Amino acid sequence: MTLVAEKKNRWSKVARKIRRAIFMHEPSYYDMYENKGEKFFGRLYLHEIFRILKEQGIQEPLKILDAGCQTGRLSVPLAKAGHQITGVDTSQLALKRAARHAAAEGVSVKLVRANLGAWLPKQPSNSFDALLCTEVLYLRPNHKQLLTELLRILKPGGLSFISHRPAAYYLIEASGRDDSEAIRVILTAKEGTLFGSYYNWQTREDLDTLYREMGVEPLAITAIGFLSWLKVNPENLSPGEQDSLFEVDTNPEYRNNSGGRYLLVSGRKNEQQNKTF
């Protein structure tokens, strides 16, 4: 690269950072509300959430926390269904996108920019009817403390929908990489460094035990994205093909599997006392 090209590239990066910092402009931002594949996975989450709400006989609007809401993939559809949503995320850009998506759908979502580890302890106990935390905890070394705080602010009898990475997901990944050390770690621990990054992982049995210990009755532990976990990417499918994949992924035969991209634990808080680690 020539000196002129290097300077041009450098200034282009600076200009992009300025546009993002001042104007919240970032065309390449990974928007989970707009991304075709992520919308499919959002559809799977929402299918399970609405299934549980119906099964539990809940018809009235709920006060719901979406912890780690990103650009509103779940918050906006739930607000559109009549629920009162508070979405929390660390990214101002994500929250701006979420506000735009909510406005486009004609709904209101309360959006808060905060780190969950700092924000949750400041919230009153028993203050939400339901909570969501999807695709967040598996990346956090303090996941048990965050889970404790999430369940603390959930009302007794309230519903929680929280996703975790299944151990099987990483076993498949490690096998594909022929990474025997990663396989050893996955089989002998519940968290650690894999492929250069921190993760934690659980089995269905681990999650059932964990939630019961914390005073939550698991209503369902659902595989989210079973076939996509086996490398069927919904982003590359037509709407009709996505519908067919959706029918398979929501079939109980696959939904109750231990694989999947994530395991969604749908639970009901059944004790006043909050468990801690």
Side-chain angles (χ1 to χ4, degrees), residues 238-271:
S238 69
E241 290 170 331
Q242 278 201 2
D243 287 343
S244 297
L245 180 60
F246 181 83
E247 288 183 15
V248 173
D249 268 347
T250 55
N251 185 306
E253 181 178 350
Y254 297 105
R255 191 180 69 214
N256 296 327
N257 197 280
S258 292
R261 297 173 75 246
Y262 296 92
L263 290 175
L264 177 67
V265 181
S266 303
R268 178 183 285 279
K269 184 175 177 180
N270 55 20
E271 293 183 20

Side-chain angles (χ1 to χ4, degrees), residues 138-141 165 170 173 177 179 182 185-186 190-201:
Y138 78 105
L139 295 169
R140 306 293 289 270
R165 278 287 202 201
Y170 290 121
E173 182 72 16
R177 294 170 179 245
D179 190 335
V185 172
I186 296 163
K190 299 299 180 184
E191 60 184 303
T193 299
L194 303 176
F195 327 123
S197 299
Y198 168 85
Y199 300 105
N200 60 76
W201 52 90

Side-chain angles (χ1 to χ4, degrees), residues 31-48:
D31 188 327
M32 296 176 76
Y33 186 92
E34 294 180 340
N35 180 272
K36 184 179 175 182
E38 293 296 350
K39 287 184 75 170
F40 174 83
F41 297 125
R43 184 182 173 191
L44 290 175
Y45 280 116
L46 291 166
H47 173 84
E48 187 65 6

Side-chain angles (χ1 to χ4, degrees), residues 95-115:
L95 295 174
K96 183 176 180 179
R97 293 285 187 98
R100 187 180 75 189
H101 297 319
E105 292 291 345
V107 297
S108 176
V109 176
K110 180 181 178 181
L111 297 169
V112 179
R113 185 185 183 188
N115 181 290

Side-chain angles (χ1 to χ4, degrees), residues 35-67:
N35 180 272
K36 184 179 175 182
E38 293 296 350
K39 287 184 75 170
F40 174 83
F41 297 125
R43 184 182 173 191
L44 290 175
Y45 280 116
L46 291 166
H47 173 84
E48 187 65 6
I49 291 168
F50 285 124
R51 185 185 74 82
I52 293 293
L53 292 179
K54 182 178 180 180
E55 185 180 87
Q56 294 296 305
I58 296 174
Q59 298 179 340
E60 71 277 10
L62 300 176
K63 182 181 179 183
I64 300 177
L65 170 66
D66 187 356

